[in-house]
Amino acid sequence: MLLGAGGGTAWFVAQSGDPEPVAAASPEAAVAEAAVPEWSVPLAGHGSMDFTTGMAFASWLTDTTVIRAQKDGVLAYTLNTGKRAWGTPSPGDQLCGATPEVSADAVAAIAYVTDGRCGQLAGLDTTTGKVTWKTVIASEKSSVSNSLAVPSIMSTADMAVVEVDNTLTSYRLSDGGKAWTWSPPDSCYLQDANSAPDRVVILLDCHSGSNSVQVLHPTTGRVAGKYPIGDLPLTNGVLSARPIVIHRQIRGEDTFTVYASTGKVSEFSAGEADTRSLNSVALVQGGHERRTYAVHGDRLYLATKLEHMPDDGGGYRNKALAFDIKTGRRLWESTGTHDTPLSYIRADEQGLLALEVGDWRTLPPRLVRFDPATGKAQALATLPLKYGTEADRGQVYERDGAVIIVPWTSVASKNAVSFIDTDSS
């Protein structure tokens, strides 16, 4: 099921025959038309049990477009009209990964399948959709039938860093050339890795007991910092690379350790935090996992695990948590303005910006901001009810009052992209 649908759906990427946004007309009329307050694009696979057909591997927001790297190719939509800016079908059978971010030169990398393996990487100009280079990368064969093993792909310093089989390999986004390769020492295993523009952070499990957090220089791959860490239980990972935040589940509690260049800064427990992968899909093994958190300055924002609300029609909610990463002290806990899951957008000087997901019955989504000092939630805008649950497992952006939702799969979503200008809708 996973590998068989790629060739058929690619036609929709290359042609103009795919469903257009609800508020848009023909794809040729593009940027010159007046802006519309709301538009959406239907998501392939919605309403079926096939959650892989319309799955996304990355999304990117530029000055003028929102771009979705999905199974059959990459699609860009003009923000103010929802019209198709460009569409690039997968160079192979299907896409199987992409860089989380776009470089300063507007280049991203996409991975794609040939001969049943996710073993090809290509550069993509996100202003035009043109494929600029191709190269072969290491790949693994899935151990589960009808599934696909995919690499973890990260972005740093205008490079794509690919993790396959305990090894990191960095490729220049400008031309696809290999910049560096890193492998762990003997008797050590790469547990997890994450990246920021100026570093790659790895979590190393060694049989000798000398487990460590290591920082690699983004352009050379050389070790630029090494910090000891204690036991690594089964559940662990690099939550954030800047600042460095390591997650471990110790004695049933989610524990977070913060490091700076001087070493360990703090370590604290968040009880049972929401550390589920937002972009995991059945039948796909591996990939760079996205989790619910935001960070700004000395504030780390986490979320509690989803809690069932039996008195509210069987819905769920979680709570926002704020921690001082210098001391590990929990500053506050907040439920927002309604009992509903939260999808984090970003953190800044004004606090935590999030979207209350809502539902499709009575509770519309809300754009809210949590005060950084107190956690008090302020409702900024209410979205139409029909967008309820769209952000349950998705990437959410906000720009000048406009909310853009890009779900990862059709598990709880009808749309591949939703755009709502809250100032005018």
Side-chain angles (χ1 to χ4, degrees), residues 175-199:
D175 59 10
K178 187 182 295 186
W180 52 264
T181 299
W182 177 92
S183 295
D186 291 341
S187 75
C188 292
Y189 181 76
L190 177 61
Q191 284 278 9
D192 194 30
N194 208 336
S195 67
D198 63 343
R199 66 185 66 170

Side-chain angles (χ1 to χ4, degrees), residues 111-410:
Y112 58 96
V113 174
T114 58
D115 299 325
R117 286 176 176 259
C118 185
Q120 303 281 333
L121 194 70
L124 184 75
D125 184 338
T126 60
T127 60
T128 64
K130 181 181 178 182
V131 174
T132 56
W133 51 262
K134 297 178 182 178
T135 190
V136 177
I137 61 174
S139 62
E140 295 178 288
K141 189 171 180 59
S142 175
S143 58
V144 180
S145 62
N146 294 322
S147 67
L148 181 67
V150 303
S152 175
I153 304 177
M154 296 164 282
S155 308
T156 184
D158 295 333
M159 295 186 186
V161 181
V162 179
E163 178 191 344
V164 177
D165 193 23
N166 213 32
T167 298
L168 297 177
T169 306
S170 179
Y171 300 89
R172 293 186 298 271
L173 289 175
S174 58
D175 59 10
K178 187 182 295 186
W180 52 264
T181 299
W182 177 92
S183 295
D186 291 341
S187 75
C188 292
Y189 181 76
L190 177 61
Q191 284 278 9
D192 194 30
N194 208 336
S195 67
D198 63 343
R199 66 185 66 170
V200 176
V201 178
I202 57 176
L203 184 57
L204 206 56
D205 185 357
C206 297
H207 297 314
S208 62
S210 55
N211 303 332
S212 65
V213 177
Q214 298 194 14
V215 180
L216 305 184
H217 192 281
T219 57
T220 66
R222 294 175 182 169
V223 176
K226 181 178 179 180
Y227 315 103
I229 193 169
D231 293 338
L232 293 178
L234 291 177
T235 301
N236 59 69
V238 184
L239 181 71
S240 168
R242 173 168 279 279
I244 300 173
V245 182
I246 306 299
H247 165 245
R248 292 176 292 163
Q249 195 169 75
I250 301 176
R251 292 183 291 277
E253 292 193 335
D254 290 293
T255 300
F256 298 87
T257 309
V258 181
Y259 292 88
S261 58
T262 54
K264 185 165 77 171
V265 175
S266 65
E267 185 170 281
F268 54 90
S269 169
E272 292 189 351
D274 183 3
T275 56
R276 64 190 171 127
S277 174
L278 298 176
N279 59 330
S280 61
V281 182
L283 306 178
V284 175
Q285 298 177 301
H288 184 64
E289 295 184 328
R290 308 293 187 93
R291 305 188 187 278
T292 299
Y293 82 97
V295 64
H296 178 76
D298 60 358
R299 295 287 191 274
L300 173 66
Y301 299 96
L302 301 170
T304 62
K305 286 188 174 180
L306 290 176
E307 173 188 359
H308 185 54
M309 304 293 292
D311 297 332
D312 188 30
Y316 292 84
R317 75 168 184 184
N318 58 8
K319 302 173 185 177
L321 303 170
F323 291 86
D324 184 327
I325 60 176
K326 293 181 179 179
T327 64
R329 183 170 64 93
R330 193 175 83 173
L331 303 173
W332 49 258
E333 175 182 293
S334 176
T335 57
T337 68
H338 283 105
D339 289 333
T340 181
L342 298 163
S343 183
Y344 289 179
I345 300 175
R346 66 174 180 269
D348 53 28
E349 292 83 357
Q350 300 179 71
L352 173 65
L353 187 66
L355 188 68
E356 294 180 338
V357 169
D359 58 39
W360 60 87
R361 304 183 306 273
T362 59
L363 185 61
R366 274 190 173 185
L367 185 66
V368 297
R369 177 175 285 120
F370 294 86
D371 183 272
T374 66
K376 183 178 180 180
Q378 175 190 5
L380 304 180
T382 299
L383 280 63
L385 181 63
K386 63 184 177 181
Y387 296 109
T389 77
E390 288 296 309
D392 186 34
R393 292 181 64 183
Q395 178 74 51
V396 184
Y397 305 96
E398 185 276 338
R399 178 181 291 170
D400 299 328
V403 176
I404 304 102
I405 306 171
V406 188
W408 296 109
T409 76
S410 59

